[in-house]
């Protein structure tokens, strides 16, 4: 059985300052993300035990646990690589053209993405994703770690709107956190994810 492991960050905990503090990054990566990895592995192990014993009494809870924790692992693995020190600015090339095509302009895309992220009721994520059925980019509100998105859409750019992602730095002023996010978006990573999603590459989610 395959198990999940906590990936290293591609930069130091302090690298995204002043936009995200080293303290948040350390807690977020080494504690929160680690807990999702452990939770997904625990759910898989418990499911294996259920098959071995034939006791599926807890299977509904285990399925929820797997969706939540594996969702958390995938979401954070994408999020870390969506960010980079000294990044931000505006996208170029095919990503820029696609944002214009599907959202009207880069500014309209940003306004839509900001509204989606700030509007989440409870914990969740703002997500730019590729929908292979309509062959188009869509913006989604991901609830918790696993809800409110269509099967098959492929995340390209994600913003963590859980309070653990910003509260130490921004308290209740979510809008300042969302504004700071645009200063550290790694458009090169977004571009690689966009290319992989459109080509149907099997390793789409693993780009780092
Ligand atoms: Mn998080």
């Amino acid at each position: 059985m395959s198990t999940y492991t906590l990936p290293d960050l591609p930069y130091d905990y302090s690298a995204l300052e002043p936009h995200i503090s080293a303290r948040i990054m350390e807690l977020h990566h080494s504690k929160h993300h680690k807990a999702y990895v452990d939770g997904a592995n625990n759910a898989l192990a418990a499911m294996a035990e259920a098959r071995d014993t034939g006791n599926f009494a807890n299977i509904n809870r285990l399925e929820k646990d797997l969706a939540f924790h594996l969702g958390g692992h995938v979401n954070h693995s994408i999020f870390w690589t969506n960010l980079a020190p000294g990044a931000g600015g505006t996208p170029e090339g095919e990503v820029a053209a696609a944002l214009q095509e599907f959202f009207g302009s880069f500014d309209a895309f940003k306004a839509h993405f900001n509204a989606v992220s700030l509007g989440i009721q409870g914990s969740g994520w703002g997500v730019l994703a590729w929908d292979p059925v309509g062959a188009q980019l869509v913006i989604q509100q991901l609830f918790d770690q696993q809800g409110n998105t269509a099967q098959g859409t492929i995340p390209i750019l994600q913003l963590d709107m859980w309070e653990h992602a910003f509260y130490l730095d921004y308290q209740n002023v979510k809008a300042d956190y969302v504004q700071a996010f645009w200063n550290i978006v790694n458009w090169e990573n977004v571009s690689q994810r966009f290319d992989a999603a459109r080509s149907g590459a099997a390793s789409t989610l693993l780009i780092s």
Side-chain angles (χ1 to χ4, degrees):
M1 176 167 51
S2 176
T3 57
Y4 305 106
T5 55
L6 182 67
D8 290 334
L9 288 187
Y11 38 74
D12 293 339
Y13 285 137
S14 63
L16 302 180
E17 291 188 343
H19 308 295
I20 302 178
S21 67
R23 183 64 179 145
I24 281 188
M25 291 300 295
E26 181 175 5
L27 288 168
H28 201 172
H29 176 258
S30 70
K31 304 295 185 187
H32 291 279
H33 188 168
K34 174 73 161 47
Y36 296 119
V37 169
D38 292 345
N41 288 331
N42 289 342
L44 285 183
M47 288 174 177
E49 187 181 341
R51 288 190 298 275
D52 286 346
T53 61
N55 179 359
F56 292 98
N58 291 324
I59 198 64
N60 289 357
R61 180 177 63 75
L62 295 177
E63 293 291 345
K64 285 181 181 173
D65 283 351
L66 182 64
F68 179 78
H69 290 290
L70 180 53
H73 175 42
V74 171
N75 292 330
H76 288 87
S77 297
I78 293 171
F79 183 52
W80 306 136
T81 64
N82 279 163
L83 306 177
T90 52
E92 297 174 353
E94 292 189 30
V95 170
L99 293 177
Q100 173 137 11
E101 177 184 355
F102 296 118
F103 303 107
S105 68
F106 179 63
D107 286 344
F109 154 71
K110 262 179 73 172
H112 184 165
F113 190 95
N114 287 352
V116 157
S117 300
L118 291 170
I120 291 166
Q121 296 176 324
S123 297
W125 297 72
V127 179
L128 172 69
W130 177 252
D131 160 32
V133 177
Q136 61 187 334
L137 288 170
V138 293
I139 299 175
Q140 302 171 316
Q141 275 185 334
L142 174 60
F143 294 160
D144 298 319
Q145 302 292 356
Q146 78 278 33
N148 201 49
T149 64
Q151 288 279 57
T153 55
I154 302 163
I156 304 290
L157 174 66
Q158 301 199 189
L159 174 57
D160 193 339
M161 293 305 299
W162 282 60
E163 285 192 347
H164 68 228
F166 63 84
Y167 210 83
L168 284 179
D169 290 347
Y170 296 94
Q171 286 79 53
N172 62 314
V173 191
K174 284 189 197 180
D176 286 355
Y177 166 65
V178 171
Q179 208 54 44
F181 164 71
W182 297 110
N183 295 320
I184 46 176
V185 171
N186 181 352
W187 288 112
E188 196 176 320
N189 179 259
V190 173
S191 176
Q192 290 169 354
R193 291 184 178 283
F194 182 51
D195 288 345
R198 284 186 304 169
S199 70
S203 60
T204 293
L205 297 174
L206 303 178
I207 294 166
S208 60

